[in-house]
Amino acid sequence: MTPAAAARARTAVAFGLAAGVTRAGIVALRAKAPGGRGRWERENYAGRTVELYAGPATALGAALAAGRAHRAAGLAVLAAGACGAYDDVAGAGDPRRGFRAHLGALRRGEVTSGAVKLFGISAAGLVAGSLLKERALDKVLAGVVIAGTAHLVNLVDVRPGRAAGAVLALGAPGLLRSGTAGELSAGVMGAAAAVFPDDLGERAMIGDTGAHALGAALGAAVVAGNGRAGLVAHAAVLVAAAAYGEKVSELARRPARAAARAPECTPD
């Protein structure tokens, strides 16, 4: 087998592993939901009841595929998913959104689940970045990219299928790369593809657990495939998205809340 053929095979395996584990996880959790089915159900933006099994299943599938490509990437994905899961549980019902709200609460002495998530994912990104890159500046930039991408994917998760769809679109160019970058891209796309139909069809919700895990895996793929110039460019875009994206996300949520409150009109 030629090196190119071997690289394509590893990429295909990464995609299949992530997709298979994600689907198997959803089926297993649905068959025997820890704590009962009620704990794994939420109302979405339109008031429909959706399942949360996809979140941890997606995180597990993405983490296993990422860890197969590079152990540090797998640990970052697991940490991001765990932080997202904590926020999904402990932060349920908390109306505060965005960095400013959670950092403001922290200044007042209140440690919110959002603050735990922010610092936890940032720390995981920096640790993974330090293991993926060799030079000090590149390590820091890599950490910013991994944590920033985790935040970005969660930020766009305001409608069914948007987070998984964004990962599929942004991860596709990485399939053209060989080595670790190609494997990481294939893995995160496999997990996203496995959950995309249920998410888009409003049968499942990946929540912060799945969105942050997918984002961290995508960020690790970006890090693996870029040198310093690419890392600087990606980090700049992600910092800008963090600064201004929350306003866009809030504007996107308002019509959904208004629609959910509006009475349904039926023909006479």
Side-chain angles (χ1 to χ4, degrees):
M1 182 181 292
T2 65
R8 287 194 296 270
R10 290 184 65 84
T11 298
V13 169
F15 186 97
L17 174 65
V21 169
T22 299
R23 290 308 308 174
I26 293 173
V27 171
L29 286 171
R30 186 180 290 146
K32 190 174 182 180
R37 294 182 62 88
R39 180 173 291 183
W40 294 85
E41 293 178 345
R42 293 286 189 280
E43 281 193 3
N44 70 357
Y45 75 104
R48 297 186 180 92
T49 300
V50 295
E51 300 173 345
L52 293 178
Y53 309 123
T58 300
L60 180 60
L64 286 177
R68 182 175 179 273
H70 196 291
R71 186 174 298 178
L75 292 175
V77 176
L78 275 179
C83 290
Y86 176 73
D87 194 36
D88 278 337
V89 175
D94 189 344
R96 290 170 293 195
R97 293 291 183 270
F99 293 153
R100 293 179 182 177
H102 292 295
L103 291 177
L106 191 60
R107 284 195 297 269
R108 296 190 297 272
E110 180 185 0
V111 180
T112 65
S113 60
V116 171
K117 181 177 68 174
L118 169 62
F119 290 108
I121 293 176
S122 297
L126 288 171
V127 171
S130 70
L131 296 173
L132 284 163
K133 293 297 182 181
E134 294 182 359
R135 300 193 175 186
L137 179 57
D138 294 341
K139 293 175 185 289
V140 174
L141 289 170
V144 171
V145 169
I146 293 172
T149 309
H151 173 66
L152 177 65
V153 172
N154 187 58
L155 194 65
V156 301
D157 189 27
V158 294
R159 291 290 191 283
R162 285 207 183 165
V167 168
L168 289 171
L170 295 173
L175 295 178
L176 301 176
R177 297 182 179 273
S178 59
T180 303
E183 284 189 62
L184 287 170
S185 297
V188 69
M189 288 185 68
V195 76
F196 183 67
D198 285 345
D199 190 8
L200 186 63
E202 299 187 50
R203 296 182 294 275
M205 179 187 293
I206 64 173
D208 284 7
T209 308
H212 282 304
L214 288 175
L218 181 61
V222 171
V223 167
N226 283 273
R228 180 168 298 175
L231 292 175
V232 169
H234 281 91
V237 170
L238 290 166
V239 169
Y244 299 104
E246 290 178 3
K247 295 180 181 179
V248 176
S249 178
E250 178 59 25
L251 289 174
R253 285 187 178 98
R254 287 176 185 172
R257 287 198 293 261
R261 289 195 299 266
E264 221 177 282
C265 296
T266 55
D268 293 333

